[in-house]
Amino acid sequence: MKKEKIFITVKTYPSISTSYGELVCTAGIREDGSWIRIYPVPFRTLETWRQYKKYQWIEALIERNEADIRPESFKVIDIDNINLLDEVKNWNERKKIILSKNKIYDDLDELIDLAKNKNLLSLAVFKPKHIKRLKIEREKEDKKRLEKKVTLKARSKQINLFGQSFSDFEPVDRLPFKFSYVFEDIKGRESSLMIEDWEIGVLYRNCFLNARKKNKNLSEEELMQIAAQKVKEKYEDKFLKENDILLFLGTTKRYHKVAPNPFVIIGVFYPPKEKQLDLFF
């Protein structure tokens, strides 16, 4: 058990837990450059002034999460005493913190072997050789998630394992689409990995609300398609033209040892491309 400074690089889209309420998986970089995962965190029920941002340093008392075999997994001892420190808004500073002491992987087979067979890591920075497209698929109805929401409503006056009440808290809705990057690694292996970053979920919801405001006569389905297309335009057209894309990959606890590829994209890191000087300037 010790207090550590962590540079937040990842917040995944919230998931529902009947014990904890709603949870967010957070990952970041320690001061020595190593990865760390802190889970569970009931992020949206934290007081507003404790809700840390992406690319912000925090300080928290942590200990190893013994219920999770993944080597970088820790948990916060006192959720109410997370200290928010400096935000880093400069892309070069972000790159220095994240990349200067971390290997950037480009071979997916190597990464899977290190995670699945050797259990040496479950978080990594990955550089695709080529991102082909953003794939959008309609999400199927999640009966288990609906059942969990009903259970939480029924237990609204109870206290969760963080000592917080479930009362008056509405878990975030599941996104109606799955967004995945289709890419090739250095060996030409093609993969499609789902993006579970909270950022893409917020983008979709903002696009949907904006579309509904501007197109009051359209159906819900039509508005959803407009919002999904806006996400595609940013993650496929804009990012791939204007930004250097690296992927933060993480394994899921459930599939860490069993899935052929246990990784998902838990964050997209997109610093602007550096402009090269004109040789004839």
Side-chain angles (χ1 to χ4, degrees):
M1 185 186 305
K2 57 181 177 178
K3 185 168 285 189
E4 290 213 40
K5 285 179 65 178
I6 302 166
F7 184 63
I8 302 300
T9 58
V10 169
K11 289 189 296 183
T12 61
Y13 197 75
S15 61
I16 294 178
S17 164
T18 52
S19 297
Y20 294 99
E22 182 189 85
L23 298 177
V24 170
C25 180
T26 299
I29 306 294
R30 290 175 161 124
E31 288 183 286
D32 65 3
S34 62
W35 276 98
I36 183 172
R37 175 189 292 105
I38 49 177
Y39 182 85
V41 177
F43 184 81
R44 289 202 309 134
T45 60
L46 294 177
E47 295 169 290
T48 303
W49 57 278
R50 292 195 186 279
Q51 292 185 359
Y52 45 84
K53 298 179 181 179
K54 200 171 180 181
Y55 307 126
Q56 180 173 23
W57 285 100
I58 68 167
E59 189 176 54
L61 188 64
I62 62 169
E63 68 177 4
R64 182 78 175 86
N65 188 344
E66 299 297 341
D68 191 336
I69 66 169
R70 295 174 295 178
E72 304 93 342
S73 294
F74 287 74
K75 58 184 178 181
V76 176
I77 302 303
D78 186 354
I79 206 75
D80 291 323
N81 277 313
I82 296 176
N83 297 319
L84 305 190
L85 305 175
D86 295 338
E87 290 182 57
V88 178
K89 297 184 179 181
N90 181 275
W91 278 106
N92 286 330
E93 284 298 310
R94 292 173 179 177
K95 287 164 67 175
K96 182 178 179 181
I97 295 168
I98 297 168
L99 306 178
S100 64
K101 297 179 181 179
N102 267 299
K103 178 177 178 179
I104 301 176
Y105 292 88
D106 55 13
D107 182 344
L108 201 55
D109 286 329
E110 176 190 6
L111 205 50
I112 293 170
D113 180 58
L114 290 171
K116 182 178 176 180
N117 300 323
K118 298 176 181 175
N119 199 35
L120 293 177
L121 57 75
S122 64
L123 296 167
V125 183
F126 186 83
K127 177 68 174 175
K129 181 181 179 181
H130 173 57
I131 295 179
K132 292 187 170 182
R133 65 185 184 278
L134 181 77
K135 182 170 68 173
I136 302 175
E137 301 172 281
R138 192 60 182 268
E139 185 67 273
K140 297 178 182 178
E141 182 179 359
D142 190 336
K143 292 183 179 180
K144 288 186 178 180
R145 183 181 177 90
L146 292 174
E147 290 170 359
K148 287 180 180 179
K149 288 187 72 171
V150 171
T151 300
L152 288 182
K153 282 293 185 182
R155 297 170 56 196
S156 62
K157 298 185 183 300
Q158 294 186 19
I159 303 298
N160 68 18
L161 296 183
F162 291 105
Q164 300 165 315
S165 173
F166 289 128
S167 181
D168 299 325
F169 179 74
E170 183 66 31
V172 68
D173 289 332
R174 188 177 181 86
L175 294 176
F177 298 99
K178 290 194 298 184
F179 299 99
S180 304
Y181 263 146
V182 180
F183 61 89
E184 290 183 358
D185 71 359
I186 195 67
K187 293 181 178 177
R189 169 178 173 160
E190 182 176 296
S191 300
S192 174
L193 295 185
M194 184 176 172
I195 303 172
E196 295 198 351
D197 190 357
W198 197 341
E199 190 171 334
I200 199 168
V202 171
L203 174 63
Y204 169 80
R205 297 209 172 279
N206 287 342
C207 290
F208 177 84
L209 293 175
N210 189 49
R212 185 165 64 184
K213 184 178 180 180
K214 294 181 177 179
N215 304 278
K216 296 183 179 180
N217 295 325
L218 296 183
S219 67
E220 191 89 352
E221 180 64 33
E222 289 172 316
L223 295 173
M224 288 163 55
Q225 294 297 334
I226 290 174
Q229 183 60 35
K230 291 293 184 183
V231 173
K232 185 179 180 68
E233 288 173 6
K234 182 169 185 178
Y235 274 75
E236 186 173 288
D237 299 334
K238 187 176 187 300
F239 278 178
L240 299 189
K241 291 177 182 176
E242 302 176 9
N243 302 77
D244 287 321
I245 304 297
L246 293 107
L247 307 176
F248 298 143
L249 302 188
T251 66
T252 60
K253 180 181 177 183
R254 181 178 179 182
Y255 296 111
H256 178 71
K257 281 285 189 179
V258 296
N261 180 357
F263 285 99
V264 295
I265 299 170
I266 56 175
V268 178
F269 189 57
Y270 49 90
K273 289 182 178 178
E274 295 184 5
K275 295 181 180 179
Q276 295 186 356
L277 295 176
D278 190 333
L279 295 177
F280 299 98
F281 179 77

